[in-house]
Amino acid sequence: MVMRLDKLLAHYGIGTRKEVKNYIRKGFVTVNGSIIKKDDFKVDYETDKIIFDGELITYKPYVYIMLNKPAGYVSATKDNVHPTVVDLIYGYEQYDLFPVGRLDLDTEGLLLLTNDGDFAHKLLAPSRHHSKLYYACVEGIMEENDILKFKEGITIDHYRCQSSNLSIIKTEDNTSEVLIEIFEGKFHQVKKMVESVGKKVTYLKRLQMKNLKLDTSLQIGKFRELSEDELVDLMNDL
Ligand code: URA
């Protein structure tokens, strides 16, 4: 993929476009071994060897980040009241990251952030029915009958949800721990589905999206880029 040298370096995070132009004019940049002093010089970031001040520039146009979202953060890029999930990500300021879909303010767990709109669109498109797996603590006893109702398709807000999978981990003292797998992403869907069978979600965490599992070693509020393998698996059949 071909782009202007100054644009690439600015996007990489070397400096502002103006600063980068200055560095280029001063001879800080080589492309394939030659000093390049023209800021509009065209480079192919997939094949050219670009070096800035001794540092090899390994530019990537898109990034894919896994965040273990804490409660209290809005799944948006801006908010007037609460901090956003984007505020938790540092070192990627030059990428215009946005969350892939939403988790509620009080929901924790797996949230992806990217600057790849096409990827986000495909992962979220309702027609593609990608699975999302949640762990929930519930007030009330979830029963065998609820499993059947989830399978048949719960109706929320006059909308009949697709068949979903409920599995009960344990029940105790009028509380339940469950896993819920859904294949669409309606607003507050899990909470509303549980409410429709007469119980209440008191804690919600997303564990998995499609075949991507939340990294259990990722502490709450922490993030990392997806590995090559994770990305390939996720992109496969998207
Ligand atoms: N369902 C919900 O109710 N809330 C979430 O954050 C995600 C799914």
Side-chain angles (χ1 to χ4, degrees), residues 200-217:
K200 189 176 184 317
V201 170
T202 54
Y203 173 81
L204 190 60
K205 177 176 186 168
R206 183 155 64 194
L207 303 178
Q208 191 169 338
M209 276 181 96
K210 197 171 171 277
N211 45 12
L212 180 72
K213 291 189 168 75
L214 176 66
D215 179 345
T216 51
S217 69

Side-chain angles (χ1 to χ4, degrees), residues 4-23:
R4 283 175 63 123
L5 183 58
D6 57 350
K7 189 174 176 191
L8 180 140
L9 291 173
H11 201 205
Y12 184 79
I14 296 295
T16 62
R17 197 77 173 251
K18 199 170 157 199
E19 287 164 346
V20 163
K21 282 177 195 283
N22 255 322
Y23 293 138

Side-chain angles (χ1 to χ4, degrees), residues 82-230:
H82 300 284
T84 75
V85 289
V86 175
D87 297 333
L88 290 164
I89 315 294
Y90 49 86
Y92 294 87
E93 289 73 14
Q94 67 275 33
Y95 295 97
D96 291 325
L97 293 178
F98 58 85
V100 180
R102 276 189 298 186
L103 290 177
D104 294 340
L105 186 67
D106 58 354
T107 301
E108 296 182 357
L110 176 61
L111 185 69
L112 289 173
L113 293 105
T114 187
N115 58 341
D116 183 346
D118 185 50
F119 163 82
H121 177 74
K122 286 183 177 152
L123 192 57
L124 295 175
S127 57
R128 299 190 191 238
H129 310 302
H130 292 311
S131 144
K132 292 149 198 108
L133 181 68
Y134 294 86
Y135 164 83
C137 296
V138 172
E139 198 180 286
I141 301 290
M142 298 293 273
E143 305 154 345
E144 285 299 310
N145 196 28
D146 296 329
I147 297 178
L148 294 177
K149 289 184 186 159
F150 274 53
K151 231 338 139 233
E152 278 165 12
I154 299 268
T155 299
I156 52 173
D157 302 334
H158 309 291
Y159 170 79
R160 172 89 177 264
C161 295
Q162 285 170 33
S163 172
S164 57
N165 297 318
L166 166 67
S167 55
I168 300 169
I169 303 171
K170 78 173 188 202
T171 55
E172 194 174 57
D173 299 337
N174 200 36
T175 61
S176 313
E177 281 177 48
V178 296
L179 290 174
I180 296 173
E181 184 185 26
I182 58 176
F183 300 89
E184 52 201 336
K186 300 281 168 207
F187 191 51
H188 298 322
Q189 185 166 341
V190 171
K191 290 174 186 165
K192 285 181 179 172
M193 282 168 58
V194 170
E195 208 173 285
S196 87
V197 295
K199 288 113 199 175
K200 189 176 184 317
V201 170
T202 54
Y203 173 81
L204 190 60
K205 177 176 186 168
R206 183 155 64 194
L207 303 178
Q208 191 169 338
M209 276 181 96
K210 197 171 171 277
N211 45 12
L212 180 72
K213 291 189 168 75
L214 176 66
D215 179 345
T216 51
S217 69
L218 204 57
Q219 287 179 0
I220 194 115
K222 300 289 183 218
F223 66 92
R224 67 161 171 81
E225 276 190 53
L226 295 191
S227 70
E228 196 64 35
D229 284 353
E230 284 171 333

Side-chain angles (χ1 to χ4, degrees), residues 28-88:
F28 278 87
V29 185
T30 63
V31 179
N32 301 326
S34 307
I35 295 178
I36 301 296
K37 293 195 171 179
K38 275 178 67 190
D39 49 27
D40 64 351
F41 187 82
K42 301 283 189 305
V43 284
D44 184 337
Y45 58 73
E46 281 161 349
T47 53
D48 288 334
K49 189 175 177 194
I50 304 157
I51 294 183
F52 168 75
D53 202 16
E55 181 191 345
L56 179 67
I57 305 299
T58 48
Y59 176 78
K60 44 190 172 192
Y62 297 122
V63 287
Y64 305 88
I65 288 176
M66 170 192 293
L67 169 71
N68 187 355
K69 179 193 173 293
Y73 286 78
V74 182
S75 300
T77 51
K78 284 197 186 86
D79 193 79
N80 290 331
V81 182
H82 300 284
T84 75
V85 289
V86 175
D87 297 333
L88 290 164

